[in-house]
Amino acid sequence: MSVNLLTHHLTTPPHNIPTLALSLDDIYLPHASQKTLAATHPDYPLISHRGQPSTHDLPLGLDVFRKLSRGETCKVPRYDKSAFNGEGDRADEGTWRVVNADGGGDAKERKIEIVIFEGWCVGFRPLGDEELVKRWEKACEEKREESRLWRHSIDELRFINHALEDYDALTSYLNTLIHINALHPLSVYTWRLDQERHLRATTGGGGMTDDQVVNFVHGYYPSYELYGEGLRNGGLGSEVGGKVERGDGGVERGGEGEEMDGEERNKKGEKEKDEESDGKKDGDKGEGRQLEITIGEEREVVAVRRI
């Protein structure tokens, strides 16, 4: 089920829960900043375009998360993927949606209670350097045609892995995580092509060509190879700096899954938040707070697993 459909389900009767859908894509760096990042690291093709860790504006994302978790008035950023012939750019701030606004009287808006935060690398956790090198060396030895990992230097992968460490600050806010797991990982190429063709059709031609899309996905695939296994083992239960990171309220990961747990997830998150002011419980390794939905090439549900 799409994020928009899940949001509609939660915000309409019988639930009527104020819900916000927010994408990791919406906190990408502005076009000019992305160009500067790429120019600063010309030997790192993985960051030549948006996508990988380091290409997002984390201070912006954390500011949004803090305001939402506190029920404060918040401008929700938006990213225009069709800008600059598909390279993308941050939309003008004047077009951003404002939530939790104080209108006074009957006009006062209900506070957002559920945030569905979706993104391709949400829940990815950085690897230790020894494990990173081990996986890269194995890929270099095998040189499988479908692998992209061995085509990049270890220094470039270390750069991405180091950048991913800062994303734990976002992950720590998640109460629940729904992982859409591709039965056949290479399906991401087909799905991204379908998405871009739809974008071109709805924007009068704005967007990437098919060849550009394939090269674009090439830039994502090494991270699927590096971090996918860890996510399948439980992204919320990963230890960071010797402790299990947890958030302090109201933000959860959503995706194209089943609608059955909408209210249940929200109530569970609120209960856990009340139990510990810092969002952590002794011995909590994240069990039961992650749902893995495996889908086939036609996006049909193949299996559902609670982690």
Side-chain angles (χ1 to χ4, degrees), residues 22 41 103 157 163 166 177 217 226 231 250 271 302:
L22 175 66
H41 302 87
L157 298 177
D166 293 333
L177 189 145
V217 179
L226 285 173
L231 185 56
K271 182 174 182 293
V302 175

Side-chain angles (χ1 to χ4, degrees), residues 231-251:
L231 185 56
R232 286 186 288 272
N233 288 335
L236 293 186
S238 300
E239 293 190 1
V240 182
K243 63 180 181 180
V244 177
E245 293 289 340
R246 286 288 310 280
D248 60 0
V251 184

Side-chain angles (χ1 to χ4, degrees), residues 71-86:
E72 299 175 359
T73 300
C74 178
K75 283 188 174 182
V76 182
R78 189 174 67 83
Y79 193 83
D80 180 5
K81 293 182 180 179
S82 67
F84 291 95
N85 295 316

Side-chain angles (χ1 to χ4, degrees), residues 178-191:
I178 301 175
H179 172 212
I180 307 303
N181 179 49
L183 181 64
H184 306 290
L186 291 174
S187 296
V188 296
Y189 284 89
T190 300
W191 298 336

Side-chain angles (χ1 to χ4, degrees), residues 13-254:
H15 306 294
N16 298 317
I17 303 172
T19 302
L20 173 69
L22 175 66
S23 175
L24 180 68
D25 295 354
D26 289 321
I27 61 170
Y28 275 132
L29 294 172
H31 185 263
S33 298
Q34 174 58 47
K35 286 294 188 183
T36 299
L37 176 67
T40 306
H41 302 87
D43 296 329
Y44 295 173
L46 289 175
I47 57 171
S48 63
H49 54 71
R50 70 179 192 265
Q52 287 285 354
S54 75
T55 67
H56 300 89
D57 187 340
L58 294 184
L60 173 63
L62 287 170
D63 182 61
V64 170
F65 273 23
R66 289 190 195 100
K67 288 177 179 176
L68 291 174
S69 67
R70 296 169 182 169
E72 299 175 359
T73 300
C74 178
K75 283 188 174 182
V76 182
R78 189 174 67 83
Y79 193 83
D80 180 5
K81 293 182 180 179
S82 67
F84 291 95
N85 295 316
E87 291 184 356
D89 195 11
R90 184 172 297 167
D92 185 90
E93 189 172 341
T95 68
W96 296 7
R97 177 185 173 187
V98 178
V99 298
N100 295 340
D102 293 324
D106 294 337
K108 188 172 183 179
E109 183 182 19
R110 290 177 63 194
K111 303 293 187 181
I112 296 294
E113 295 180 25
I114 295 178
V115 176
I116 304 172
F117 181 57
E118 62 88 16
W120 77 279
C121 62
V122 171
F124 281 5
R125 295 289 196 176
L127 299 172
D129 190 68
E130 183 177 345
E131 181 63 23
L132 179 71
V133 173
K134 178 181 176 181
R135 296 188 185 193
W136 176 74
E137 288 179 341
K138 186 175 186 293
C140 291
E141 180 181 344
E142 295 177 345
K143 283 188 166 59
R144 292 181 293 112
E145 180 62 29
E146 66 271 21
S147 171
R148 305 301 305 177
L149 198 55
W150 58 273
R151 304 168 197 267
H152 298 275
S153 71
I154 189 60
D155 287 341
E156 182 180 12
L157 298 177
R158 279 187 171 123
F159 178 87
I160 298 297
N161 193 64
H162 179 68
L164 184 59
E165 293 174 2
D166 293 333
Y167 286 62
D168 284 328
L170 290 177
T171 307
S172 70
Y173 274 87
L174 307 184
N175 301 120
T176 301
L177 189 145
I178 301 175
H179 172 212
I180 307 303
N181 179 49
L183 181 64
H184 306 290
L186 291 174
S187 296
V188 296
Y189 284 89
T190 300
W191 298 336
R192 192 62 182 80
L193 283 165
D194 290 343
Q195 180 183 348
E196 199 70 18
R197 288 165 185 163
H198 175 74
L199 178 65
R200 292 199 299 265
T202 56
T203 60
M208 293 181 281
T209 66
D210 285 358
D211 287 342
Q212 287 174 325
V213 169
V214 170
N215 288 329
F216 185 71
V217 179
H218 282 343
Y220 287 73
Y221 206 77
S223 284
Y224 286 119
E225 297 180 76
L226 285 173
Y227 308 114
E229 180 183 354
L231 185 56
R232 286 186 288 272
N233 288 335
L236 293 186
S238 300
E239 293 190 1
V240 182
K243 63 180 181 180
V244 177
E245 293 289 340
R246 286 288 310 280
D248 60 0
V251 184
E252 61 188 49
R253 165 72 162 94

